[in-house]
Amino acid sequence: MTLPSHDAWIHTSHTLLPRWKSLSLPHQQSTLPISISRVNQVDAARLDVEMSAMLKEQLVKVFSLMKPGMLFQYEAELDAFLEFLIWRFSIWVDKPTPGIALMNLRYRDERAVEPRDKVRTGLEGPGLTVAQKLWYCIATVGGQYIWARLQSFSAFRRWGDTEQRPLARRLWILIQRIEGIYRAASFGNLLIFLCTGRYRNLIERALRARLVYGSPNMNRAVSFEYMNRQLVWNEFSEMLLLLLPLLNSSSVKNLLRPFSKDKSLSSAEDGSACPICQATPTIPYVALPCQHRYISL
């Protein structure tokens, strides 16, 4: 067995180094795709819906003293107004919506993101442009309002009836087909979102507005304080529902009668009791002239 020369490792390194660079160069230039939690994105949308419902409930209470049913006629306008307020004070001023902020997310213009030779954390990239913000408002606020009004108007005019004019019937069929195509496209987008984690809905996909992390640090601890308090109140209410029927029984009343402060009531009840068995007669017999009440045998 012959030993290698002293400079053999130097010669070997010079021979293998170009091959190593050729193999590792594509991996260095490729960027690692970021992974945004799909649960956070879905929860952000749900929280925005809940926030809008809370604002709507508070606004409806303002008009509670007005004519009943009047606000129902303008429900579409009310929803559009609330959605516009949320958009105006969040996305338009480069801030996330309440639900997106709670999930530590923000919108990013995916078209302006350039590939880099390092690991992407999801914090890079600028926010939405002015055009993207305006189109987002037109699609979410204006589009939903126009579609809701069109559906209510067509249903009120009964365009779907066979007795209507051919033009109205065709418009009704066209509306149904557009709605079916939109739902099919939304379902396909949902499947793509579950696979890739990008673009929750068709509007975000069309505008290339992607949700990414807003801060590198986020507290993942979940507070169960509200849940525990809710469970305590639920158990307390169930216990009261079980005890209330028992409080109406005569045995409990007799047990609590010595501790009652109303002496006149207790004396009246004592006078109505049978002097022999001390029970309350259902069909009493009154003795004259002492006015004592007895139970018939």
Side-chain angles (χ1 to χ4, degrees):
M1 181 177 180
T2 59
L3 297 176
S5 60
H6 181 70
D7 57 348
W9 67 273
I10 300 177
H11 177 71
T12 306
S13 64
H14 286 299
T15 304
L16 297 178
L17 187 59
R19 298 181 181 179
W20 173 254
K21 289 183 178 180
S22 63
L23 294 175
S24 60
L25 186 59
H27 297 282
Q28 292 177 356
Q29 290 180 350
S30 62
T31 57
L32 297 178
I34 60 175
S35 178
I36 308 298
S37 175
R38 298 167 179 80
V39 177
N40 285 11
Q41 299 183 56
V42 175
D43 288 345
R46 185 60 184 174
L47 288 174
D48 287 335
V49 173
E50 295 292 337
M51 181 65 67
S52 179
M54 292 174 59
L55 294 176
K56 182 179 180 180
E57 181 181 359
Q58 297 298 326
L59 190 59
V60 168
K61 290 182 179 179
V62 177
F63 302 95
S64 59
L65 300 179
M66 299 182 66
K67 183 179 178 181
M70 187 188 69
L71 196 62
F72 179 75
Q73 302 176 358
Y74 306 98
E75 186 176 3
E77 286 78 7
L78 180 61
D79 294 338
F81 175 70
L82 293 177
E83 293 294 335
F84 176 79
L85 287 181
I86 295 176
W87 170 84
R88 172 60 181 82
F89 294 102
S90 59
I91 297 178
W92 178 250
V93 293
D94 293 328
K95 292 183 179 180
T97 60
I100 295 177
L102 289 175
M103 292 293 105
N104 188 29
L105 299 173
R106 69 176 181 91
Y107 274 118
R108 183 182 72 180
D109 185 8
E110 198 68 9
R111 300 172 302 178
V113 177
E114 299 179 356
R116 301 181 180 181
D117 296 338
K118 65 177 182 179
V119 178
R120 295 165 61 183
T121 61
L123 304 176
E124 304 89 357
L128 302 180
T129 61
V130 177
Q132 286 177 317
K133 297 174 185 177
L134 292 176
W135 280 112
Y136 185 90
C137 178
I138 293 173
T140 56
V141 180
Q144 293 181 3
Y145 169 72
I146 293 174
W147 186 255
R149 273 303 178 189
L150 182 60
Q151 284 187 330
S152 61
F153 181 79
S154 60
F156 179 75
R157 296 289 183 176
R158 303 195 322 183
W159 286 358
D161 294 347
T162 57
E163 300 177 357
Q164 293 291 335
R165 294 176 298 177
L167 179 60
R169 182 65 180 175
R170 291 177 182 176
L171 290 176
W172 174 260
I173 295 175
L174 179 61
I175 292 174
Q176 297 300 317
R177 288 182 178 178
I178 293 175
E179 184 176 4
I181 294 173
Y182 179 79
R183 289 184 178 181
S186 299
F187 180 73
N189 182 81
L190 176 61
L191 296 179
I192 298 174
F193 169 74
L194 294 177
C195 295
T196 61
R198 304 174 60 180
Y199 310 120
R200 298 174 301 175
N201 49 51
L202 296 176
I203 298 175
E204 294 178 358
R205 184 171 296 277
L207 297 177
R208 298 293 300 277
R210 185 181 181 185
L211 286 176
V212 295
Y213 291 118
S215 174
N217 300 321
M218 179 180 180
N219 186 14
R220 297 294 298 174
V222 180
S223 177
F224 294 98
E225 180 181 358
Y226 175 77
M227 185 181 297
N228 294 334
R229 184 164 60 248
Q230 188 71 17
L231 290 175
V232 169
W233 281 109
N234 289 339
E235 295 296 332
F236 183 70
S237 60
E238 291 181 1
M239 184 184 66
L240 288 180
L241 291 177
L242 293 176
L243 293 179
L244 284 177
L246 300 178
L247 295 177
N248 294 329
S249 61
S250 58
S251 59
V252 177
K253 290 181 180 180
N254 294 332
L255 181 63
L256 298 178
R257 185 179 303 170
F259 303 98
S260 177
K261 296 182 180 181
D262 195 354
K263 300 299 182 180
S264 61
L265 181 60
S266 62
S267 61
E269 291 181 354
D270 293 339
S272 62
C274 179
I276 298 176
C277 61
Q278 298 298 325
T280 303
T282 305
I283 303 178
Y285 286 84
V286 181
L288 298 176
C290 60
Q291 300 294 327
H292 288 119
R293 299 185 179 186
Y294 297 90
I295 298 177
S296 62
L297 299 177

